[in-house]
């Protein structure tokens, strides 16, 4: 793989750039595979042999080789997320800059396919994570991945960053993992080089400023912004950091990297805001940039208001609540709502926050969908099977690997068990639902998620 000469020229003189080593690692054919384990889904089970820890992220592990994740039922059960190890440094940034505060409201503004969002939901397990994606098709993937993660402290929205201006100072933490020119992924995906140009870098830098300026009014005073890209270009990294300090009035935050040799600390040219660069020839991961800021003052911006046209969340009637109590043994930590006929479970402490979000944004997923009431019948939702809400009241069938793969392929499927709805499990984790009838089993794995690979 030979890197484009104009691209290499943009990196001349950039702190930490070592041309020979950088080119060598791009031609080495070396690949790095890492996963982040879901702390709420049997975290102690051995998922893979021969792993080593990602030093900066509690649940991160490097794998020795890349297995077929598609053919691993644990992957579909949300036992882990496959993520670039450099990106997992977000965990460390949060640990050092935000600490272990409880009950925070967190926005992941550019969230699909969901790597940072699932990390955020684990980090802020007592908080609320709003995971937003502006592109509709990508929002669908985000719903799939966050559903598999199983957390009921997540809301997925499909909005333009400017729509968040209707929620002034709503969030305590905002993560902007901005769309960028993507040079950090050249080693992993050489086809990304085809679209790279200096014009693209300029366009991305402009778009990054627009996204940040649009969304920053939604960050609370005292709140934290984490800005990240997978580009090496200073125009998308340190220059944006300068702009955030000089134009948006943010205060830069340092992250101690003494325990993580190979990560390169840089300073933005004017403000000297610290930023952290990840070069694949110096750490085990792909190219990445991250910087943290606090918002200590409001910079005047013209706010636009936006009102969602979609149905807001409705309260359940008393009768429905009684029916739901039979299938969702709740306590006062869980509240339920109806959205377009679907019952949703959310953390009760965030009830009013979620209502506020629903009145302003396009909600694609709020908490966990539990199911629908059809007369006296309850039809369970797929998300419920993947959640870590208590599912003990349901009959269940424990599948072996082959059975689990047949189920996940939505193949003709037979299993023995109690008649009616059964939770299909693998390694103790829910995969989905099947309905056992007297002479056959109906497979309810979602058509659009089924495994196509033989
Ligand atoms: N945070 C994600 C993760 O860790 O899985 C990766 C995010 S990716 C780097 C950037 C995302 O920004 C993409 O999903 C892209 O669709 C979205 N995006 C593109 N244009 C955007 C815009 N104008 N405003 C907000 N987001 C945008």
């Amino acid at each position: 793989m030979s890197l484009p000469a104009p691209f290499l020229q943009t990196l001349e003189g950039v702190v930490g750039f070592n041309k020979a080593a950088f080119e060598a690692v791009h031609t080495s054919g070396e690949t790095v595979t890492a996963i982040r384990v879901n702390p709420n889904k049997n975290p102690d089970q051995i998922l893979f042999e021969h792993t080593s820890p990602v030093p900066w992220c509690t649940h991160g592990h490097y794998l020795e080789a890349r297995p077929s994740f598609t053919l691993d039922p644990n992957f579909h059960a949300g036992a882990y997320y496959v993520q670039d190890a450099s990106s997992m440094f977000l965990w460390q940034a949060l640990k050092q800059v935000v600490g272990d505060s409880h009950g925070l409201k967190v926005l992941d503004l550019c969230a699909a396919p969901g790597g940072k969002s699932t990390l955020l939901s684990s980090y802020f397990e007592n908080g609320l994570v709003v995971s937003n994606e502006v592109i509709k098709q990508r929002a669908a993937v985000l719903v799939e991945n966050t559903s598999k993660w199983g957390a009921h402290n997540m809301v997925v929205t499909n909005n333009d960053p400017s729509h968040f201006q209707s929620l002034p100072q709503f969030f305590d933490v905002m993560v902007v993992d901005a769309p960028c020119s993507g040079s950090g992924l050249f080693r992993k995906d050489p086809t990304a080089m085809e679209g790279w140009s200096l014009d693209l870098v300029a366009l991305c830098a402009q778009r990054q400023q627009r996204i940040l300026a649009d969304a920053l009014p939604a960050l609370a005073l005292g709140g934290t912004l984490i800005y990240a890209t997978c580009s090496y270009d200073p125009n998308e990294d340190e220059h944006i950091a300068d702009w955030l300090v000089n134009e948006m009035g943010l205060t830069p935050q340092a992250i101690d990297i003494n325990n993580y040799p190979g990560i390169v600390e840089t300073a933005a040219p004017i403000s000297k805001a610290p930023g952290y660069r990840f070069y694949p020839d110096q750490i085990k991961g792909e190219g990445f940039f991250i910087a943290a800021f606090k918002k200590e003052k409001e910079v005047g911006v013209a706010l636009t208001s936006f009102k969602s046209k979609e149905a807001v969340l409705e309260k359940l009637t008393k009768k429905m609540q009684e029916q739901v109590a039979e299938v969702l043994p709740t306590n006062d930590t869980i509240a339920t709502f109806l959205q377009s006929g679907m019952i949703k479970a959310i953390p009760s402490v965030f009830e009013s926050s979620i209502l506020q979000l629903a009145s302003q944004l396009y909600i694609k997923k709020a908490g966990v969908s539990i199911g629908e009431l059809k007369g006296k019948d309850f039809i369970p939702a797929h998300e419920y099977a993947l959640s870590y809400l208590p599912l003990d009241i349901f009959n269940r069938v424990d599948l072996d690997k082959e059975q689990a793969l047949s189920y996940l392929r939505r193949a003709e499927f037979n299993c023995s068990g109690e008649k009616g709805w059964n939770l299909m499990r693998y390694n103790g984790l829910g995969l989905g639902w099947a309905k056992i009838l007297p002479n056959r089993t109906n497979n309810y794995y979602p058509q659009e998620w089924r495994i196509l690979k033989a």
Side-chain angles (χ1 to χ4, degrees):
M1 173 199 316
S2 86
L3 294 160
F7 161 67
L8 288 171
Q9 277 158 19
T10 60
L11 287 178
E12 292 294 348
V14 173
V15 178
F17 176 61
N18 174 334
K19 189 164 184 268
F22 187 83
E23 285 192 288
V25 84
H26 281 81
T27 48
S28 66
E30 185 200 340
T31 57
V32 178
T33 304
I35 58 160
R36 190 168 33 74
V37 166
N38 189 334
N40 286 298
K41 295 203 173 182
N42 290 355
D44 298 328
Q45 67 177 320
I46 308 279
L47 293 165
F48 298 98
E49 301 293 332
H50 312 300
T51 63
S52 54
V54 173
W56 42 79
C57 178
T58 304
H59 305 293
H61 303 275
Y62 292 107
L63 306 190
E64 228 168 49
R66 192 177 178 90
S68 168
F69 293 114
T70 308
L71 298 180
D72 178 10
N74 282 315
F75 171 75
H76 300 275
Y80 60 90
Y81 192 94
V82 184
Q83 187 174 33
D84 163 42
S86 306
S87 297
M88 294 185 204
F89 191 76
L90 173 61
W91 185 277
Q92 193 53 226
L94 294 168
K95 210 170 149 190
Q96 294 193 30
V97 179
V98 182
D100 56 5
S101 310
H102 283 210
L104 299 190
K105 287 182 283 188
V106 180
L107 172 63
D108 185 7
L109 186 65
C110 310
K116 310 285 182 310
S117 288
T118 51
L119 183 152
L120 290 167
S121 120
S122 302
Y123 189 88
F124 295 105
E125 55 182 352
N126 300 305
L128 176 70
V129 176
V130 177
S131 182
N132 179 68
E133 171 56 45
V134 66
I135 298 174
K136 206 170 177 183
Q137 296 89 317
R138 290 179 62 83
V141 178
L142 185 58
V143 167
E144 177 175 344
N145 287 335
T146 52
S147 298
K148 286 180 176 162
W149 203 247
H152 56 282
N153 70 342
M154 299 183 88
V155 171
V156 177
T157 57
N158 176 212
N159 284 81
D160 185 81
S162 61
H163 297 168
F164 287 86
Q165 292 180 6
S166 322
L167 296 159
Q169 299 194 9
F170 186 88
F171 294 100
D172 304 295
V173 178
M174 188 181 281
V175 174
V176 178
D177 185 20
C180 68
S181 59
S183 45
L185 302 179
F186 284 176
R187 173 174 68 162
K188 201 169 95 181
D189 176 16
T191 60
M193 280 191 270
E194 289 161 20
W196 186 91
S197 68
L198 288 173
D199 285 348
L200 177 68
V201 171
L203 187 107
C204 288
Q206 265 179 12
R207 184 166 56 196
Q208 286 147 1
Q209 289 187 359
R210 194 182 67 234
I211 290 172
L212 287 160
D214 279 348
L216 272 172
L219 183 62
L221 290 182
T224 302
L225 169 76
I226 308 274
Y227 175 74
T229 73
C230 56
S231 165
Y232 300 106
D233 201 297
N235 289 302
E236 299 178 73
D237 297 340
E238 287 84 358
H239 294 190
I240 298 290
D242 259 347
W243 175 84
L244 282 168
V245 176
N246 298 334
E247 304 296 324
M248 296 288 110
L250 299 189
T251 310
Q253 305 293 304
I255 302 168
D256 181 355
I257 51 166
N258 281 330
N259 289 334
Y260 312 115
I263 301 176
V264 175
E265 179 165 336
T266 65
I270 303 168
S271 65
K272 305 297 171 214
Y276 302 88
R277 285 180 164 262
F278 294 67
Y279 291 98
D281 50 298
Q282 290 162 59
I283 46 93
K284 241 178 118 181
E286 304 309 319
F288 187 59
F289 173 85
I290 191 165
F293 305 85
K294 290 269 183 204
K295 173 172 162 179
E296 282 163 353
K297 57 179 186 240
E298 195 66 81
V299 175
V301 282
L303 300 183
T304 56
S305 81
F306 170 78
K307 188 92 172 95
S308 158
K309 293 171 208 62
E310 239 171 49
V312 294
L313 305 178
E314 302 160 42
K315 291 261 182 205
L316 268 66
T317 62
K318 187 107 183 103
K319 183 158 172 265
M320 282 171 156
Q321 277 175 18
E322 283 162 13
Q323 277 179 283
V324 169
E326 288 171 24
V327 289
L328 175 69
T330 52
N331 47 42
D332 51 9
T333 65
I334 306 272
T336 46
F337 278 102
L338 264 188
Q339 189 189 20
S340 310
M342 178 61 75
I343 302 152
K344 312 268 176 178
I346 56 164
S348 46
V349 282
F350 291 115
E351 201 172 331
S352 62
S353 303
I354 291 176
L355 279 176
Q356 207 180 337
L357 290 166
S359 72
Q360 301 297 327
L361 302 172
Y362 291 121
I363 304 276
K364 290 283 156 195
K365 167 173 154 63
V368 167
S369 292
I370 298 302
E372 290 174 279
L373 294 170
K374 297 265 163 80
K376 285 196 196 120
D377 292 334
F378 170 72
I379 320 292
H382 186 63
E383 275 180 22
Y384 192 17
L386 292 165
S387 75
Y388 43 83
L389 291 166
L391 288 158
D392 310 344
I393 50 156
F394 292 97
N395 295 321
R396 68 195 72 148
V397 178
D398 285 300
L399 307 174
D400 64 25
K401 188 169 179 184
E402 278 319 302
Q403 289 174 312
L405 288 172
S406 295
Y407 174 71
L408 293 165
R409 290 192 172 102
R410 215 171 188 272
E412 193 77 17
F413 179 78
N414 258 314
C415 63
S416 51
E418 297 284 325
K419 302 282 169 285
W421 290 108
N422 275 260
L423 178 67
M424 299 292 112
R425 300 201 316 174
Y426 179 73
N427 260 348
L429 299 177
L431 290 175
W433 301 101
K435 197 169 189 184
I436 301 182
L437 304 172
N439 48 8
R440 64 171 204 278
T441 302
N442 285 346
N443 185 340
Y444 278 84
Y445 196 72
Q447 180 79 11
E448 62 283 12
W449 293 9
R450 74 192 191 283
I451 302 180
L452 298 171
K453 195 172 169 178

